Every structure is written in C-alpha cells, then in structure tokens.
Amino acid sequence: MKFNDFTYNLDSFLNIAIFIIVVFFVAWIISRIIRFIIVKLIKRSNQKRERDYSTTSLKFLMNSVKFLAGVFAILVIIFTVPIFRAKATLIFSGAGILAAILGFAAQAAISNLIAGAFIVIFKPFRVGDFIKLDESRMGIVEDITLRHTVINNFENKKLIIPNSVISTESILNNTIDDSKVLSFNNFKIGLYADIDLARKIIQEEAQKLNHVIDNPDSTISMYKDKVDVRVVSTLESSVHLRAYVWINEPFSEYRNRAILTEEVHKRFIKEGVEMPKEMRRIYTN
C-alpha cells in the first residue's frame, strides 16, 4: 500500500484511530530512546565527576522530552489527517481561546515552567551544586524538572521547591565557580582564660581535619600557612573566638565544624582552659 493511498484512506474512522495510536506510539518510542541516550550521557558525566552546566541542561531536557513528544504527535495528527487539516484554522483558534482560559487557571504551573527554563538558561545553580536558601532549606541540587527543583538536604530528605519560588529567592551557591570555602568556627572561653593557649589548641585541631587547605590569598583571613583565630568580642562572662578554616570540599564543611567543636572542647577540658561561667550581680540595700 502506497503512502498516498494510506493518506487517502485516513478519511475512514478506523484508519484515523489506528493512525493516531501509531503516531503516539512512535512518539513514545522516540521519547524513550532520547531519554535513554540522555541518561547515558548523564551517567558518563557523573563517572567523570563533572559538575558542569551541560548535565543540568541534559536533565531538564530529559524531563521535557515527554511533553515535547506529545506536542509533536498532536501536530503531526492535525496536519496529516485530512479532516483535521481542513479544520486546522478552527482548531487552532479554539485552542487559543482554550489556552487563554487554561492560562488564567494554571498561572502557577506556567510560571514554574518558564522559571525552570530561565534557571537552565541563566544558570544560577546547576545539578550537583550545594546551595542554601535559608537555615532550613539547604542541600545539593538533584534535579530540575518542568515544575520544581529537587534538593537533597543533609538529612537525606528531599526538598521540592517550585521553580517560580526558587527563581525569585536569594541563593547562596557554595560551588558555582570555586570549590574552596571559608568556614567560620566559633568558640567561647572564660573571661580570664589563656587566649594564646586556646588559639593554639584550635589551630592544632583544625589542621587535623580533612580537606583543610592553606589560605588561598584571601583578605578575609590573614594567615597563609595556618588557621587564623581571632578574638571577635568580649562579653561579661566570656571571650568569643572565631577560627577561619579554609577547606576545598564544601560538602564536608558541616561535618568538619562538628568534629572541630567536639575535639576543641575535649582539649579545653584536658588542658585546663577556663570555660565561660554565668556571672550574676546581687545588689543589697
């Protein structure tokens, strides 16, 4: 049977139904093949430990393939089936009115779709980046879909944030250009404690941590070859010290801070560094 004969026979209801099923099936197969190829490319990037923008674009494209394949199948059906092609103008004018109605009813969904495209185009963050919106919303970007961004926090829980929300937030991106981060580690000692001894203990324990590096020519911390420890403030009952620790693995910052706090506390007790004590003044007549 020639293709032209088959096109002519699309005037019958049975052939139209079969043609529609075949078109959607072929579109589904093509989308599956494309998604399979994209998954392979993403896995290859992950094996190379490449955290680049191409992986983000590939994941977004993979999430868009089904939608695009469905739209393509509908257009093929409309412009191939004679009865639909003859009424294409009426169909698209009606579709425009329907789209306007649905647009008002689904503004959030459309804004999420547009925001997701803008995230991929302007690249404020990428899949694999460690980002922070606020104290309760931080973690590693796992996926960017048509509707939302998926973030895996440090409790291994998934944060599902609509694209329209995250695109308007101020985001702290710890890994966008440089993997080196400066970690602030705060300690308090007694008002009359030996500051030099406390500084020495903090520096020694900080150097034992994993991923600690020398100061990469930063003006924030002055020491080049060791951890900078400064007196930030003195209070009624304590002295506030801050250690500036440079590390080259942002994902280890939280763990390093916890380890350093524990080890320094143990050393303070062992070596007799005075700890803060609450002081009260009692006035008598």
Side-chain angles (χ1 to χ4, degrees):
M1 181 183 293
K2 296 181 180 180
F3 179 76
N4 291 336
D5 294 337
F6 182 71
T7 303
Y8 177 80
N9 289 335
L10 287 179
D11 290 334
S12 69
F13 175 79
L14 179 61
N15 283 343
I16 291 175
I18 294 173
F19 180 76
I20 292 174
I21 293 173
V22 170
V23 168
F24 276 111
F25 179 75
V26 171
W28 179 78
I29 292 294
I30 293 173
S31 70
R32 295 289 296 180
I33 293 172
I34 295 174
R35 285 168 63 89
F36 176 79
I37 295 171
I38 293 174
V39 168
K40 289 292 185 183
L41 292 174
I42 292 173
K43 287 183 177 179
R44 184 179 301 174
S45 296
N46 291 338
Q47 288 175 355
K48 295 179 180 179
R49 298 187 63 83
E50 295 176 351
R51 197 165 54 232
D52 55 19
Y53 291 119
S54 61
T55 301
T56 302
S57 302
L58 286 172
K59 280 210 166 190
F60 187 80
L61 178 61
M62 184 178 68
N63 293 322
S64 308
V65 164
K66 283 186 178 181
F67 174 76
L68 296 174
V71 172
F72 179 75
I74 292 173
L75 291 175
V76 169
I77 292 170
I78 290 175
F79 287 105
T80 303
V81 178
I83 189 173
F84 293 153
R85 187 171 62 244
K87 300 183 181 297
T89 303
L90 180 62
I91 290 173
F92 283 113
S93 62
I97 298 173
L98 180 61
I101 296 173
L102 292 177
F104 286 108
Q107 289 183 11
I110 295 173
S111 63
N112 286 328
L113 176 62
I114 296 173
F118 281 174
I119 289 172
V120 173
I121 293 171
F122 295 106
K123 307 173 180 65
F125 54 84
R126 56 193 170 181
V127 172
D129 277 359
F130 171 28
I131 66 172
K132 177 180 179 181
L133 282 73
D134 51 44
E135 292 300 328
S136 61
R137 295 182 297 175
M138 68 177 76
I140 301 170
V141 179
E142 277 199 350
D143 199 4
I144 302 173
T145 71
L146 296 176
R147 180 188 175 277
H148 54 258
T149 297
V150 182
I151 298 175
N152 187 13
N153 67 8
F154 295 108
E155 297 176 344
N156 199 33
K157 297 177 181 177
K158 301 295 188 291
L159 297 174
I160 311 297
I161 304 177
N163 290 331
S164 60
V165 173
I166 199 169
S167 65
T168 58
E169 292 276 353
S170 297
I171 299 173
L172 176 62
N173 192 330
N174 291 279
T175 49
I176 188 168
D177 287 322
D178 194 345
S179 61
K180 297 185 291 292
V181 296
L182 178 58
S183 176
F184 287 0
N185 296 259
N186 298 300
F187 303 92
K188 288 185 178 180
I189 58 177
L191 194 60
Y192 303 103
D194 186 339
I195 295 177
D196 292 330
L197 175 59
R199 178 182 288 113
K200 176 176 175 291
I201 291 172
I202 295 171
Q203 290 174 336
E204 289 176 353
E205 293 302 324
Q207 292 292 346
K208 297 177 184 178
L209 299 172
N210 293 327
H211 308 295
V212 173
I213 60 174
D214 290 339
N215 179 2
D217 297 323
S218 170
T219 57
I220 300 174
S221 58
M222 305 303 295
Y223 287 106
K224 178 65 181 175
D225 57 351
K226 62 181 179 180
V227 175
D228 188 6
V229 180
R230 304 178 192 171
V231 175
V232 176
S233 63
T234 56
L235 306 175
E236 275 192 6
S237 59
S238 64
V239 177
H240 181 188
L241 301 178
R242 175 173 295 165
Y244 299 81
V245 183
W246 281 97
I247 59 176
N248 59 7
E249 180 50 74
F251 305 114
S252 299
E253 182 190 3
Y254 180 82
R255 182 173 182 272
N256 275 2
R257 278 196 283 124
I259 293 174
L260 184 59
T261 300
E262 178 181 348
E263 295 304 319
V264 167
H265 181 72
K266 290 178 180 177
R267 287 280 304 273
F268 280 177
I269 294 175
K270 181 179 179 180
E271 301 191 25
V273 176
E274 181 188 350
M275 305 299 285
K277 297 177 183 177
E278 186 176 357
M279 301 178 64
R280 295 182 181 179
R281 294 181 180 179
I282 301 175
Y283 296 92
T284 60
N285 294 327

